[in-house]
Amino acid sequence: IIWRFALEEVEGSVQDAYAQEFKTRLQDASDGQLKLEIYPYGSLGTSSQLTELIQQGAIELAFASPGHLASVIPEVGLFTLHFVLSDDNDINKEVLSSDKVKDILQPQYEKQNMELLTIVPEGWMVWTADKPLRTPGDFSDFKMRTMTSPILTQSYKAYGANPTPMPYSEVYSGLQLEQIDGQVNPIFAIEEMSFYEVQDYMIMANHAQFISTLVTNDKWYENLPEQQRTWLDDTRDGMVDYIYRKQAEFNEKRLQTIKDAGGTEVITLTNDEREAFRQASMGVRQTYVEQAGETGQKLLDTVTSMVEELESQ
Ligand code: 6CS
């Protein structure tokens, strides 16, 4: 049996590391009966196209990142809001892998013919730009490339920027041709997509984690023979610690690669500077709730109260 697993990222990425490890574990668990064929970014299409392939049942597994997926499932747009998660990634791990969060989202995925298998973090989002961005004012008229879901653009509009949604594959040339002034992604992606080569600054505001979700077609998942579903579920459950460790390792190592290459100034915002962005971002939560409705409100409340509770312990 061969399952096809499509990635929104190229070989050597966090999603690729996840898929490779998943493949080995699934093969071991099933004594070689289940095999995975991994399709890195570029072989099957953009993120939105991968989601369509899952909805049609044309492939078995894929990553679907909220930055794109919120166009189809507005509720997942929560993970693109700024300053919602904790500064402490151990807390985020607990929140994101909780049944509470998954139970709210699952029916929303099912409405779109998908099954949410797990939520995967890939590291802090970092801004790259042709100038330093230290205050919301610095974003004035700044052409910021974002992923394609509309809620995401609101976060940058709130800073006064001119958000420009586009697929991942067009970002490098967009920067090179100066159609955009900057973009935002985790460090490993900035390195492997060579964005740092065409940008002068990297700005760390720790405003959000890059979150992705692993999905299948819901009918396919329901109809899986019991044994196969157990192999799949067990493999997924065993991957949580692995991917948290791996993404941290990838991001750390590649920051060093970028620093060693020279030519990129790395700026870490102070607490006061972050606070100004946090304040400016708060109104976007209302816009999110308008788009994601009651379930969105419930998800926002659940996540913020879990974070608050864990931070006070
Ligand atoms: O910026 C993007 O569009 C992409 N970034 C990452 C790190 N993964 C997938 C996503 O499509």
Side-chain angles (χ1 to χ4, degrees):
I1 305 158
I2 297 176
W3 291 347
R4 286 151 298 185
F5 190 163
L7 312 181
E8 304 167 289
E9 295 168 6
V10 298
E11 274 170 52
S13 62
V14 170
Q15 290 187 3
D16 186 41
Y18 188 98
Q20 299 290 351
E21 183 68 18
F22 202 91
K23 175 180 174 158
T24 307
R25 293 186 185 201
L26 197 63
Q27 245 162 245
D28 288 351
S30 68
D31 264 331
Q33 290 182 63
L34 286 179
K35 293 188 182 4
L36 275 195
E37 241 166 49
I38 300 170
Y39 294 85
Y41 192 58
S43 39
L44 296 177
T46 63
S47 295
S48 306
Q49 288 166 333
L50 300 185
T51 296
E52 283 167 23
L53 291 173
I54 288 287
Q55 289 174 312
Q56 294 157 6
I59 54 173
E60 286 75 25
L61 295 157
F63 277 106
S65 295
H68 300 288
L69 186 64
S71 308
V72 185
I73 306 176
E75 291 83 355
V76 291
L78 178 83
F79 300 120
T80 71
L81 296 183
H82 296 185
F83 303 100
V84 165
L85 290 177
S86 178
D87 292 350
D88 178 345
N89 222 18
D90 287 333
I91 290 179
N92 296 334
K93 176 160 125 184
E94 212 164 315
V95 174
L96 295 173
S97 50
S98 73
D99 285 339
K100 258 193 197 167
V101 168
K102 204 173 162 193
D103 290 347
I104 297 172
L105 283 171
Q106 195 65 268
Q108 310 309 318
Y109 276 71
E110 280 167 17
K111 270 187 214 158
Q112 289 297 329
N113 306 325
M114 286 184 279
E115 176 82 19
L116 167 62
L117 289 178
T118 189
I119 302 174
V120 176
E122 302 191 17
W124 292 107
M125 289 292 242
V126 172
W127 298 323
T128 68
D130 58 359
K131 64 173 199 181
L133 298 166
R134 290 183 182 274
T135 68
D138 292 335
F139 271 97
S140 179
D141 285 330
F142 186 85
K143 277 183 274 158
M144 185 64 159
R145 179 271 171 173
T146 65
M147 287 179 274
T148 49
S149 118
I151 184 66
L152 202 54
T153 61
Q154 295 297 330
S155 285
Y156 288 95
K157 273 194 190 139
Y159 301 152
N162 182 1
T164 312
M166 55 169 76
Y168 199 31
S169 50
E170 292 169 22
V171 180
Y172 183 88
S173 62
L175 290 169
Q176 205 176 27
L177 301 172
E178 295 177 9
Q179 292 163 331
I180 45 176
D181 303 317
Q183 65 84 43
V184 49
N185 256 307
I187 297 164
F188 82 86
I190 294 169
E191 195 274 332
E192 79 191 358
M193 299 298 279
S194 306
F195 298 153
Y196 70 100
E197 289 176 2
V198 283
Q199 295 266 263
D200 296 327
Y201 297 89
M202 268 172 72
I203 302 107
M204 308 205 186
N206 283 17
H207 62 283
Q209 279 275 321
F210 182 93
I211 305 288
S212 195
T213 68
L214 179 63
V215 299
T216 65
N217 178 283
D218 64 337
K219 297 281 166 335
W220 176 81
Y221 183 76
E222 272 164 37
N223 292 330
L224 268 183
E226 183 101 17
Q227 177 63 263
Q228 290 183 30
R229 192 160 59 226
T230 305
W231 287 329
L232 175 59
D233 289 351
D234 289 352
T235 303
R236 169 204 59 195
D237 293 344
M239 291 284 297
V240 178
D241 288 331
Y242 172 83
I243 202 60
Y244 270 86
R245 253 198 340 268
K246 209 66 192 171
Q247 61 82 18
E249 192 184 301
F250 271 42
N251 285 308
E252 209 175 289
K253 270 197 195 142
R254 296 193 195 177
L255 179 59
Q256 200 49 51
T257 311
I258 294 172
K259 283 181 174 169
D260 289 349
T264 311
E265 192 181 324
V266 180
I267 298 171
T268 305
L269 296 193
T270 64
N271 284 339
D272 286 350
E273 285 168 334
R274 282 187 78 206
E275 186 52 28
F277 282 105
R278 204 184 67 81
Q279 299 273 343
S281 75
M282 291 306 282
V284 185
R285 296 185 186 190
Q286 193 48 45
T287 315
Y288 163 74
V289 170
E290 279 158 24
Q291 294 183 8
E294 226 172 279
T295 310
Q297 181 76 61
K298 190 170 166 204
L299 185 62
L300 175 63
D301 293 345
T302 303
V303 168
T304 48
S305 65
M306 279 179 91
V307 166
E308 218 170 278
E309 200 183 309
L310 289 163
E311 282 183 343
S312 70
Q313 278 168 19

